[in-house]
Amino acid sequence: MDRQQALLQEQANKWLEQQKCGFTTEQEEQFQYWLSLNPDHKTIFEESKQIDGLLAQFSEQEIENLSTSKVFRFSQANVWMATAACLAIFMISLISFTLLPHTESSDYSAQYSSAVGEQLKVNLPEGSKLYLDAQTNLNINFNEHIRSNTLVKGRALFDVTTNPKRPFIVNTDTTKITVLGTKFTVDKKPLNTRIRVSHGRVKVQSNQHIVELIQGQQAYVNEQGISVENINPTLIDAWQHGRLIFDNTPLNEVFVEFNRYHDREFKFASNELSQLPLSGTFNASELDNFLKLLPHVVPVKIKTEKDQIIINKL
């Protein structure tokens, strides 16, 4: 069995043990997502279930006797028993591989994606936690030297377990974030990346600039460089609770935020309208209520045609 196959088998064994103990709703969702990542995942998991079923037919003493015997005499009646015993011994070896400490288990690769309106929580093997906002794509590649993450699209909150010997890195196409033991969010947008620190510190690096952020700070990274400002750290994870908080945010960015949770097209009658600032706290799931309220807050009128929202001057 090669290294990749052994890692997949280890993951399958862990899912099987969790399933036998009973999945929570969250664990069931994560398990189904793991199955969907690769057809081999389902195959390996089903094989693990079959071997586990065979293993259940033997006592520990019977398996120990079979595994230490030097001579086997097979008859037609017990061929299947011997086969089952061999598979059971193989299962024991795999379980031992999973549970006993070993240095090679630090390798971990995965791809996570969330759909429109969907948020995901991911518990990583080394203890860190990820929270993916809607319409987010994240690739993970860990080894014994580094924990590398690539945020392809969207927003994620990282709650990182400190390990100075294995730096935790988050990359976007323009930005590199090095974790110094912290909890923070990264929001990748077409023209910039925003980093917000809830606890601890992170180092943010672009092509030409490096800054270090502490709790209660955020940085915008774009072609012009990195700008840093102070924020209220209690608001950083508001999106996890379904709240969208804006502070003099241009209207076009406001609609981009809502569109994480709604599949609607919006269009501004002019660039001037798209830059009108908006402040307030809104429920991410209640787009229609937001559209009714908006003309009372800023001088615009809203017209809806099928799935398109048109914003005109009042």
Side-chain angles (χ1 to χ4, degrees):
M1 178 183 297
D2 61 27
R3 182 183 179 84
Q4 183 63 27
Q5 191 77 3
L7 288 172
L8 288 178
Q9 186 66 66
E10 181 180 355
Q11 293 173 14
N13 291 344
K14 289 178 179 178
W15 283 121
L16 180 60
E17 290 304 309
Q18 278 193 334
Q19 187 183 66
K20 288 161 67 176
C21 295
F23 280 145
T24 64
T25 301
E26 181 181 305
Q27 288 171 337
E28 175 68 29
E29 291 175 353
Q30 293 177 3
F31 171 61
Q32 293 300 328
Y33 181 76
W34 179 79
L35 289 179
S36 70
L37 288 175
N38 189 321
D40 291 344
H41 290 187
K42 185 173 183 180
T43 301
I44 292 174
F45 182 77
E46 291 300 325
E47 289 174 352
S48 294
K49 283 183 66 175
Q50 293 173 10
I51 295 171
D52 187 62
L54 293 171
L55 180 64
Q57 300 179 41
F58 297 88
S59 68
E60 292 183 5
Q61 186 61 49
E62 287 173 330
I63 294 171
E64 182 178 350
N65 291 340
L66 285 167
S67 64
T68 56
S69 295
K70 295 183 179 179
V71 178
F72 292 91
R73 291 185 174 86
F74 296 106
S75 67
Q76 284 297 111
N78 65 13
V79 166
W80 75 270
M81 290 290 286
T83 303
C86 292
L87 290 172
I89 294 167
F90 176 65
M91 185 68 176
I92 292 172
S93 299
L94 289 172
I95 292 173
S96 298
F97 176 82
T98 300
L99 298 180
L100 293 177
H102 51 89
T103 58
E104 296 184 348
S105 64
S106 56
D107 282 14
Y108 179 75
S109 297
Q111 295 179 334
Y112 296 100
S113 298
S114 56
V116 175
E118 178 186 32
Q119 294 183 352
L120 298 177
K121 177 183 176 183
V122 180
N123 295 317
L124 296 179
E126 39 72 78
S128 298
K129 296 180 176 62
L130 308 179
Y131 302 84
L132 274 63
D133 200 0
Q135 298 194 64
T136 296
N137 296 332
L138 179 72
N139 298 333
I140 295 175
N141 286 287
F142 289 3
N143 59 39
E144 60 182 321
H145 303 295
I146 193 170
R147 293 172 288 171
S148 178
N149 305 261
T150 301
L151 184 61
V152 180
K153 172 187 175 184
R155 173 167 55 196
L157 185 148
F158 301 83
D159 191 352
V160 179
T161 299
T162 303
N163 185 346
K165 295 182 179 180
R166 293 178 72 204
F168 194 99
I169 307 293
V170 181
N171 290 292
T172 69
D173 52 3
T174 60
T175 309
K176 177 181 178 181
I177 303 107
T178 303
V179 177
L180 307 174
T182 190
K183 182 178 181 181
F184 65 104
T185 63
V186 181
D187 188 357
K188 182 183 181 300
K189 299 181 179 180
L191 299 179
N192 62 65
T193 295
R194 183 180 67 190
I195 302 96
R196 290 178 160 182
V197 179
S198 178
H199 299 292
R201 297 177 297 129
V202 300
K203 181 172 68 175
V204 178
Q205 181 176 354
S206 66
N207 292 333
Q208 300 177 338
H209 302 86
I210 299 177
V211 300
E212 187 171 301
L213 302 180
I214 61 173
Q215 177 180 351
Q217 288 187 321
Q218 72 174 10
Y220 279 95
V221 184
N222 54 32
E223 292 181 350
Q224 285 70 47
I226 305 175
S227 60
V228 178
E229 58 189 39
N230 295 325
I231 56 171
N232 184 345
T234 63
L235 304 180
I236 291 174
D237 62 353
W239 55 269
Q240 289 186 269
H241 310 288
R243 292 182 295 140
L244 299 179
I245 301 175
F246 306 112
D247 182 12
N248 287 318
T249 305
L251 272 185
N252 63 332
E253 293 187 22
V254 170
F255 276 95
V256 167
E257 286 294 308
F258 269 101
N259 255 21
R260 296 183 194 266
Y261 313 95
H262 306 272
D263 192 13
R264 305 281 291 276
E265 180 184 356
F266 61 91
K267 180 180 179 181
F268 289 94
S270 69
N271 185 61
E272 180 184 358
L273 288 176
S274 72
Q275 297 303 306
L276 287 175
L278 179 70
S279 297
T281 300
F282 304 93
N283 191 319
S285 64
E286 297 181 357
L287 177 59
D288 289 338
N289 287 340
F290 170 75
L291 294 176
K292 292 176 182 177
L293 176 65
L294 189 60
H296 300 283
V297 182
V298 291
V300 299
K301 57 182 179 181
I302 306 296
K303 182 179 179 180
T304 301
E305 294 181 356
K306 296 182 179 181
D307 288 333
Q308 187 177 67
I309 301 167
I310 302 173
I311 303 96
N312 291 292
K313 187 174 181 180
L314 187 63

